[in-house]
Amino acid sequence: MPELVLELNGRTWTLDASRPYTLGRDPQGDITLDDARVSWRHATISWNGRSWVIEDHGSTNGTFVQGQRIHQMEIGPGSAVHLGNATDGPRLNLSGAAAAVAAPQQAQPQQQPYVAKGASPGWAQQAPPQQQAPQQQAPQQGWQQPQQSAAVPQQQGPGGGAGAPPVYGDRSPTTFHQFSLGRVMRIGRALENELVVSDLQVSRNHAEFHATPDGRFEIRDLGSHNGTYVNGMPIAKGGSALLGPNDIVGVGHSTFRLIGDRLEEFVDTGEVSFSARHLTVTVDGGKQILKDVSFGVPEKSLIAVIGPSGSGKSTLLKALTGYRPANQGDVLYDNRNLYKQFAELRQRIGLVPQDDILHKELTVKKALKYAAKLRFPADTTGQEREARIDEVLRELKLDIHKEKKVTSLSGGQRKRVSVALELLTKPSLIFLDEPTSGLDPGMDRDVMQLLRGLADDGRTVLVVTHSVAELAICDKLLVMAPGGSVAYFGPPEEALNFFGYDTWADVFSAFENYRDYDWAGRWKGSQHYQMYAADIDAVAPQSVHMPPPQQMRPPKPQGWGSQLMTLIRRYVSVIVSDKGFLALTVILPAVLGAVSLLIDSDKGLLVNPANPKTGVHIPNGTATTVLLILAVGACFAGAANSVRELIKERVIYERERATGLSRSAYLMSKVIVLGTITVLQGAMVGAIGFSSREIPDKGLVLGNAVLLELSIPIMALGFTSMMFGLIISSLVKTAEKTMPLLVMFAIIQVVFTGCLFTLHGAVGVNEFSYLMPSRWAVAAAGTTLDFNNIAPNTDDPTSTDPLWDHAAGAWTMDMAALIVLGVICGFFVARFLRRHEPEVMRK
């Protein structure tokens, strides 16, 4: 069987076809590559009986052959494979010639130097030996948070810069680039940039470093979609900022720092430490629902959070993700304050809520397609998004389900799809809220094993769960006590022994029976506390001084118009895929219009009939009754269309809003799509209700188009009722509460149409009726039909309703009032939507 020789930076490995070889950063692997862009277990090379094959194991940054990302591919002598980056990742050259076997455990390949595209050789250098410190590894027990300054070696760059603060703990730069005075270094995803960053969060031409003649440096944003950050704060789109010796520039998943005239690059590949220090959350009235929570976890960890109801698990999750920052304390993302640098770091955090965050009516592939369109920069091509989606589907073994509707999947598979959505942007931290809720034990195990795999591949995963069956596969366990304090933090296998019980059921019973017991004090007085949390807890708590809101709010990856079009297309796809809803939108207005035909069908008059003996016109009660039925039908159909739309998508909206979704674009997508459906329904109701009856020969505003003039108020009434339905949907907490409110809304509209009793002259009641859309719609149609003559005030025939005046001005005023009501509703819906957003996103 043939041998294969791998060569990397002068080192060689001879592979025997009798067994497979693993490649990655794992020191226990066969071929260890010390490069931050390479995953822990990145790929495997093996002989399949016919040829050598390389298989990627779902690595974070990918395996590339001839610039194309591959999953599995036959290779042989003459091939070249890049790991972690298609252009400058570690390059494996393959040959079939005999070569010396280098023991991978004894000699680690050096990091591949980065050569910037189109630059002279002086632009890139190999990192000096003192900067190639081994990457920090977490010990099995007693892991301690690296100190903020002492852990970082003093680095003396060519320009003399020393003592710079840490960027990623004590890690060495991924690579660095020599900077010359007067030069410009452009950063971006496109290959024509001097510094190519293979990251879909980065725009094609993202930013530029400028070295000015006076020796100063600045960073200029080139109109990037996801923003350019200096020390975690976004600079203005298209703006610039001067850089000091210790300033840190963030672009996508990469961070840059200038040391003298050398530009150091740190690539965040997912292996980050994470810690919480003294988190305290206080609600109105001074009650603390989270009390002094501190813990720290190393990179590539799976942490489970358990506790009884009322122990603050959900509050803790919101505090850790920045959704609702704690009143006191810090959340540190590799020694960077998440709260103060949320705008930049939020791109590296994934959150999977308990409920699904995808539209169940869509197929898996289509749902991820729309999500990627909203999250990636506007200059990302469809091919790039498609490739990333396929990559994530393969990693999570969902590629065989990609054409299935989400609603047809099992509970565990749907949870995988939600995880897939978050993995699109390659987050380093993934938080999950009750991912196994409602799943059977087998699916529970599958989901937890999925999370274990995500952590092993170079991510930090924190899961809030009620299930205790699979805690053993976690690295650390955080147990919350009633009241929001920490009762235990450490290895899960030691937890029951710490509490002195045999089962978790006994532990939770103890929490319930001894709610006033000082569980936090018991924890802090234990040996486990000294081993796993004492150093982190030793830092004094402090109040959170938040940056200005405009500095915390993340930029929008897509422009407002682009977001609107994507949301409209997605919403139309959801509606089209729901055949039941489509049928109802046609049947409902048809039935409501047809019902009106039963009213005095033998007369068929919507005008004053003439007395056959005297020829004098007499009042016609049929007109008001018919218009009442049509108005109520339009109200009910419009409100029914929208009353559930916001509440059923609330979890999706909350998550997408945190990733940069525009609130107004989201609301306008609902208004446009639902408004179009409702207006068409109103036209159908009006056409059926009016066309078969005798109506005036000429209208007040549209002349001979009397049928249209009568139908427009019905159409506008449906639209405004739809806006009222959105208000209901934005206010309620559960979808079940929408139906009683819908019925109440429809009944109120019946009362205040003015068709049942005279409103004009009724002090207080008449003024209140001005808030009702049915009042104005009936009045507009009534002006055309001359209601003051058709249905005069029987108590006082001389008293006429000014809203019913048979004049073009009255029709125009009634329609304007109806439209104004719809606009006011839209304003309130936007305000109510604000309550369901991450706190940092609220204006």
Side-chain angles (χ1 to χ4, degrees):
M1 292 185 291
E3 294 181 336
L4 185 69
V5 177
L6 272 64
E7 187 273 335
L8 172 68
N9 288 349
R11 305 297 298 174
T12 59
W13 291 264
T14 300
L15 311 188
D16 189 333
S18 62
R19 71 181 186 90
Y21 293 80
T22 60
L23 291 75
R25 290 197 338 277
D26 185 357
Q28 303 302 318
D30 298 300
I31 300 174
T32 305
L33 298 94
D34 186 16
D35 190 296
R37 293 166 293 185
V38 177
S39 294
W40 192 252
R41 297 180 182 88
H42 194 103
T44 299
I45 296 179
S46 60
W47 174 260
N48 66 2
R50 184 185 64 204
S51 62
W52 288 94
V53 176
I54 184 168
E55 180 180 1
D56 186 277
H57 289 309
S59 62
T60 301
N61 293 311
T63 303
F64 300 85
V65 175
Q66 294 182 348
Q68 299 296 318
R69 186 162 188 166
I70 58 101
H71 174 63
Q72 187 179 53
M73 186 175 183
E74 293 184 357
I75 55 175
S79 301
V81 178
H82 282 279
L83 303 180
N85 190 287
T87 55
D88 66 315
R91 175 188 171 108
L92 298 175
N93 295 308
L94 312 180
S95 65
V101 179
Q105 289 85 359
Q106 297 174 0
Q108 304 247 348
Q110 294 183 349
Q111 181 173 310
Q112 174 81 355
Y114 180 95
V115 180
K117 180 177 176 65
S120 62
W123 277 76
Q125 299 179 4
Q126 183 70 25
Q130 66 269 23
Q131 292 200 4
Q132 298 221 359
Q135 193 170 18
Q136 180 186 6
Q137 301 292 328
Q140 293 296 318
Q141 293 184 348
W143 179 85
Q144 298 179 359
Q145 178 76 10
Q147 296 297 316
Q148 186 74 4
S149 57
V152 182
Q154 296 293 316
Q155 299 182 4
Q156 182 71 29
V167 177
Y168 289 114
D170 60 355
R171 294 186 178 94
S172 300
T174 305
T175 187
F176 65 87
H177 320 276
Q178 197 66 32
F179 218 157
S180 303
L181 293 180
R183 298 297 299 270
V184 175
M185 180 180 285
R186 178 178 293 181
I187 307 171
R189 204 173 70 249
L191 295 178
E192 63 264 18
N193 292 286
E194 286 79 18
L195 204 165
V196 179
V197 179
S198 181
D199 181 357
L200 290 184
Q201 296 281 40
V202 177
S203 298
R204 296 187 63 82
N205 296 293
H206 196 103
E208 288 179 342
F209 281 102
H210 285 253
T212 60
D214 60 359
R216 305 179 73 183
F217 298 92
E218 70 173 359
I219 180 72
R220 295 179 185 175
D221 183 85
L222 299 178
S224 64
H225 299 279
N226 278 326
T228 305
Y229 303 84
V230 176
N231 299 324
M233 301 299 173
I235 63 177
K237 192 169 185 176
S240 63
L242 287 173
L243 300 176
N246 296 329
D247 288 337
I248 299 170
V249 177
V251 174
H253 286 79
S254 296
T255 305
F256 302 89
R257 180 175 61 188
L258 279 164
I259 303 295
D261 58 355
R262 185 178 65 214
L263 183 66
E264 297 183 344
E265 178 182 2
F266 299 79
V267 179
D268 184 351
T269 58
E271 298 170 346
V272 297
S273 62
F274 183 74
S275 63
R277 295 181 176 177
H278 301 285
L279 297 183
T280 299
V281 174
T282 305
V283 296
D284 295 338
K287 180 181 179 181
Q288 289 186 343
I289 56 177
L290 203 65
K291 299 179 181 178
D292 199 25
V293 174
S294 297
F295 65 93
V297 294
E299 60 190 41
K300 294 185 307 179
S301 296
L302 174 59
I303 306 96
V305 180
I306 64 173
S309 298
S311 58
K313 299 188 298 297
S314 297
T315 303
L316 175 63
L317 193 64
K318 292 179 180 179
L320 294 176
T321 56
Y323 266 49
R324 198 288 187 195
N327 301 100
Q328 285 188 319
D330 295 308
V331 176
L332 299 183
Y333 178 106
D334 247 20
N335 290 323
R336 300 179 66 185
N337 192 302
L338 174 64
Y339 294 161
K340 296 180 179 179
Q341 302 184 25
F342 179 81
E344 176 187 355
L345 297 180
R346 60 98 191 178
Q347 302 179 31
R348 310 182 191 184
I349 295 176
L351 174 62
V352 181
Q354 182 174 347
D355 297 322
D356 295 326
I357 50 178
L358 291 167
H359 291 86
K360 298 179 183 179
E361 301 85 355
L362 301 178
T363 64
V364 172
K365 185 73 175 285
K366 186 172 288 188
L368 293 178
K369 172 185 171 183
Y370 286 118
K373 178 69 173 174
L374 288 172
R375 295 194 180 194
F376 287 137
D379 61 1
T380 307
T381 65
Q383 291 80 3
E384 288 175 314
R385 293 193 298 269
E386 191 92 2
R388 180 57 187 158
I389 291 171
D390 290 339
E391 179 185 346
V392 170
L393 290 175
R394 286 194 301 268
E395 179 179 356
L396 298 181
K397 297 179 174 58
L398 286 170
D399 46 340
I400 60 175
H401 303 295
K402 63 182 180 181
E403 299 303 331
K404 296 180 182 178
K405 286 189 176 182
V406 176
T407 187
S408 68
L409 302 178
S410 66
Q413 290 169 341
R414 285 202 302 271
K415 193 58 63 177
R416 282 177 178 264
V417 177
S418 294
V419 173
L421 187 152
E422 292 302 315
L423 290 185
L424 289 175
T425 54
K426 296 185 179 181
S428 302
L429 288 172
I430 302 178
F431 296 88
L432 300 100
D433 187 9
E434 300 286 357
T436 61
S437 177
L439 302 183
D440 61 48
M443 289 184 179
D444 182 353
R445 180 181 57 194
D446 290 344
V447 171
M448 292 301 292
Q449 287 178 346
L450 165 68
L451 303 184
R452 177 71 266 173
L454 294 178
D456 290 340
D457 198 39
R459 303 175 183 94
T460 300
V461 182
L462 186 145
V463 53
V464 174
T465 180
H466 277 109
S467 175
V468 296
E470 302 297 328
L471 295 180
I473 69 174
C474 300
D475 298 299
K476 293 290 188 295
L477 175 64
L478 177 66
V479 182
M480 300 294 293
S485 58
V486 177
Y488 173 83
F489 177 72
E493 62 270 16
E494 300 178 19
L496 286 175
N497 183 57
F498 171 82
F499 287 107
Y501 292 100
D502 296 327
T503 67
W504 283 107
D506 295 330
V507 175
F508 279 53
S509 295
F511 283 148
E512 181 64 28
N513 297 331
Y514 305 101
R515 298 188 69 88
D516 295 331
Y517 183 75
D518 186 10
W519 295 100
R522 180 178 183 272
W523 155 244
K524 291 186 176 181
S526 68
Q527 183 180 2
H528 283 78
Y529 171 79
Q530 297 298 323
M531 295 175 62
Y532 302 116
D535 287 345
I536 294 174
D537 213 22
V539 180
Q542 56 182 325
S543 297
V544 180
H545 300 288
M546 306 302 289
Q550 66 272 15
Q551 293 184 334
M552 294 188 62
R553 193 173 302 114
K556 298 177 178 61
Q558 301 278 333
W560 188 89
S562 178
Q563 285 193 2
L564 176 63
M565 294 307 298
T566 301
L567 291 168
I568 289 176
R569 286 195 295 268
R570 182 176 71 178
Y571 194 24
V572 170
S573 297
V574 170
I575 291 176
V576 170
S577 65
D578 189 347
K579 300 299 188 291
F581 179 81
L582 280 179
L584 187 62
T585 57
V586 176
I587 295 173
L588 181 61
V591 170
L592 294 174
V595 167
S596 69
L597 300 179
L598 302 177
I599 307 300
D600 290 337
S601 58
D602 57 330
K603 297 179 180 179
L605 299 177
L606 294 183
V607 294
N608 294 70
N611 188 307
K613 295 183 179 180
T614 64
V616 178
H617 288 274
I618 59 176
N620 178 16
T622 302
T624 55
T625 306
V626 169
L627 197 55
L628 172 65
I629 297 299
L630 297 180
V632 172
C635 283
F636 186 81
N641 285 340
S642 61
V643 76
R644 289 176 177 264
E645 290 307 300
L646 298 183
I647 180 62
K648 75 178 184 181
E649 291 186 0
R650 183 162 296 169
V651 176
I652 298 175
Y653 172 73
E654 288 176 355
R655 183 65 193 121
E656 290 183 342
R657 180 71 174 132
T659 62
L661 179 69
S662 166
R663 181 195 311 147
S664 59
Y666 175 79
L667 179 56
M668 281 303 298
S669 70
K670 296 295 183 186
V671 171
I672 291 173
V673 176
L674 290 175
T676 301
I677 293 173
T678 304
V679 167
L680 293 176
Q681 288 178 325
M684 185 183 298
V685 170
I688 295 174
F690 292 125
S691 61
S692 62
R693 295 182 180 272
E694 183 179 340
I695 58 178
D697 297 329
K698 192 173 183 180
L700 297 172
V701 177
L702 301 182
N704 293 328
V706 183
L707 180 61
L708 180 60
E709 186 175 308
L710 288 171
S711 298
I712 285 178
I714 302 299
M715 296 157 65
L717 174 59
F719 180 87
T720 304
S721 298
M722 180 272 295
M723 298 300 295
F724 270 91
L726 289 179
I727 288 183
I728 295 174
S729 191
S730 64
L731 284 174
V732 297
K733 294 183 178 180
T734 61
E736 289 74 16
K737 295 180 180 179
T738 59
M739 294 312 295
L741 294 174
L742 173 62
V743 173
M744 182 180 69
F745 171 76
I747 291 175
I748 291 176
Q749 299 312 305
V750 173
V751 175
F752 289 98
T753 56
C755 296
L756 296 181
F757 59 91
T758 302
L759 290 172
H760 177 62
V763 180
V765 177
N766 187 43
E767 286 72 21
F768 181 75
S769 72
Y770 294 162
L771 300 176
M772 304 299 146
S774 63
R775 170 73 159 122
W776 298 101
V778 169
T783 60
T784 302
L785 295 173
D786 197 5
F787 264 18
N788 280 326
N789 289 320
I790 287 180
N793 188 342
T794 55
D795 296 330
D796 184 6
T798 62
S799 176
T800 58
D801 191 336
L803 302 186
W804 291 1
D805 285 347
H806 189 58
W811 189 92
T812 304
M813 180 188 70
D814 293 339
M815 289 302 303
L818 193 56
I819 294 172
V820 168
L821 274 179
V823 172
I824 293 174
C825 288
F827 171 79
F828 280 107
V829 173
R831 297 299 297 174
F832 294 148
L833 274 177
R834 179 180 177 273
R835 303 184 309 159
H836 307 296
E837 299 173 356
E839 191 167 300
V840 295
M841 300 297 296
R842 302 176 187 174
K843 296 183 180 179

